[in-house]
Amino acid sequence: MAEPVPGSAGVRRRLAFGAAVDSFGTGLLLSTSAVYFVAVIGFGVREVGLVMSVAGVAGLLGPVPVGRLADRLGLRRVYCGALLLRGAGYLGYAFVTDFRVFVVATCLLRMLDQSTPPLQQSLVGALAEGGERVRTMALVRSVRNTALSAGFLVAGLALAAHTRPAMMAMLIGNGLSFFVLAAVIASLPIPAPASIASAATAPGGSVPGGSAPAGTAADGSDRSDAGPALERSGPPLRHRRFVLLTVSNGLLLLHDSVLFVLLPVWIVTRTSLPAATVAGLLAVNTVLTVLLQLLFSRSERLTHRPGAVLLAAAGFLVAACAVFPAAAKLSGGWAVAGCAAAVALLTVGENLHAVAGWQLSFDLAPADRRTEYMAVFNLGLGLQNVVGPALMTSVVLGAGPGGWLLLATLFAGSALACRAAGTVRASLPVSQGGISHG
């Protein structure tokens, strides 16, 4: 069988298969890990939440050095190495019973987890170009969401059994998924950096195999020497409005911690519902996200008025915070319906926020330093990973209905701050890095 070439349908199919296996394993892990270490191993809820927050800090330390290592040793070698380490780590994670080992393992695994997404983005950039790169990423995202939902549903069987072997099998399954993905990455025809560089200097500046033209990075961003143009705008950390946008957007991202940290433990400790309900609710989130992505991708209005969309997102998130505690007072099928409604509201808010937050950050970032500004903006996710788990388990869960009220207030205030930071964009002259829509 002929070896697929970069940008071919065969490469896309391999990427999609690898993404599916990876996300299926992630679904197994996210549905069961918190319940496993709290309800089966016996670690305290607050202790587990604190460890997850500490691990979030550790996760910020991984991407930059791993990226530099990939530049030196090669993308394929470092990516496969990181995946093999993740696989071995999660296999061992299933057998952890000592809390100190749990702390160390969780931090190291989070560092590896946070290091691989940039490698995946570089991989797609090396294997596809232009519109093909966009279509490839869309395919990967779609497959990931579908496989994640399948992982949630399978994990529901383990949660229903509520036995240690069943839940251990979920963690082991996640570990095995990384070995499969590593095999897929090893089989891909990734262009060597040397060949890309030499091709970029060829007449016409094009790079065979889907690589970017000279002066352009593999992800399509301009990496040429911009000279004096870079001096027209300051660094992102000196841009107070952009820093405000980054921080407030990171607080809005707490909806991720609500879904993956608070919801599973809340179902087990604050409602009469069986633990298997968690997997079904996460599946609702994933399936609805796929549908919303298809809907939002066809609507240009969402990108024209990001401030209004952001306020709408906050409205849905606040409504979810009201429905969750109300559902806890119900029983049986009504409780399941109430929780499903709350998750649906959370999901709509989450997806509206994703569209509006990115658009505001794109508009506010000066054109001549946009890549640098986007990197800083993504630190908001790190903020959520640090603050979220401990906030959910120690404050929101412990305060009962008052905790949900606090969370709703935080969502509303963060949305208003995001909107205030982003709307200054229209008043900036072009010489300060301002750009117009379109």
Side-chain angles (χ1 to χ4, degrees), residues 65-377:
V66 170
R68 290 175 180 171
L69 197 63
D71 290 335
R72 290 186 178 184
L73 302 181
L75 176 59
R76 187 204 310 272
R77 182 180 301 176
V78 173
Y79 196 179
C80 288
L83 291 171
L84 293 176
L85 288 175
R86 290 177 76 188
Y90 276 110
L91 289 181
Y93 203 49
F95 297 91
V96 170
T97 57
D98 183 88
F99 186 75
R100 291 170 295 182
V101 176
F102 171 69
V103 173
V104 175
T106 303
C107 290
L108 291 177
L109 287 172
R110 180 61 65 87
M111 290 178 65
L112 288 169
D113 290 343
Q114 295 297 107
S115 297
T116 50
L119 299 179
Q120 182 200 46
Q121 294 168 9
S122 295
L123 175 67
V124 173
L127 293 174
E129 63 179 352
E132 189 59 41
R133 183 181 301 132
V134 175
R135 287 188 290 272
T136 300
M137 286 302 298
L139 173 64
V140 169
R141 284 194 299 268
S142 177
V143 167
R144 279 193 176 279
N145 279 298
T146 303
L148 192 67
S149 180
F152 291 153
L153 294 176
V154 171
L157 301 176
L159 290 170
H162 203 68
T163 63
R164 182 173 179 178
M167 293 194 186
M168 286 180 66
M170 299 300 99
L171 272 66
I172 291 173
N174 177 57
L176 294 176
S177 71
F178 296 117
F179 292 110
V180 176
L181 180 57
V184 171
I185 301 304
S187 72
L188 292 172
I190 305 174
S195 64
I196 295 176
S198 60
T201 61
S206 62
V207 181
S211 301
T216 305
D219 60 359
S221 59
D222 188 5
R223 297 291 180 84
S224 59
D225 184 7
L230 287 175
E231 299 177 3
R232 288 199 299 267
S233 59
L237 292 181
R238 293 185 181 179
H239 194 315
R240 288 178 292 179
R241 294 277 184 172
F242 195 82
V243 171
L244 173 62
L245 179 67
T246 298
V247 173
S248 54
N249 183 74
L251 294 176
L252 268 176
L253 283 169
L254 286 170
H255 52 63
D256 276 4
S257 287
V258 172
L259 188 66
F260 295 119
V261 178
L262 178 60
L263 178 63
V265 180
W266 179 76
I267 288 290
V268 173
T269 63
R270 297 294 188 271
T271 74
S272 59
L273 297 174
T277 308
V278 174
L281 293 175
L282 292 178
V284 168
N285 168 265
T286 306
V287 172
L288 185 56
T289 293
V290 173
L291 297 177
L292 289 172
Q293 284 177 344
L294 292 175
L295 177 63
F296 293 167
S297 65
R298 299 174 182 177
S299 176
E300 296 183 0
R301 296 180 181 179
L302 297 178
T303 59
H304 292 334
R305 298 188 62 190
V309 173
L310 196 66
L311 294 182
F316 280 101
L317 295 175
V318 169
C321 292
V323 175
F324 271 120
K329 299 179 180 179
L330 304 175
S331 60
W334 288 109
V336 174
C339 290
V343 169
L345 291 169
L346 188 77
T347 304
V348 175
E350 165 195 348
N351 282 273
L352 286 173
H353 168 226
V355 174
W358 183 87
Q359 188 64 42
L360 286 174
S361 68
F362 187 86
D363 288 349
L364 194 59
D368 57 320
R369 302 187 74 157
R370 184 165 294 139
T371 302
E372 183 181 358
Y373 271 67
M374 292 299 100
V376 171
F377 182 71

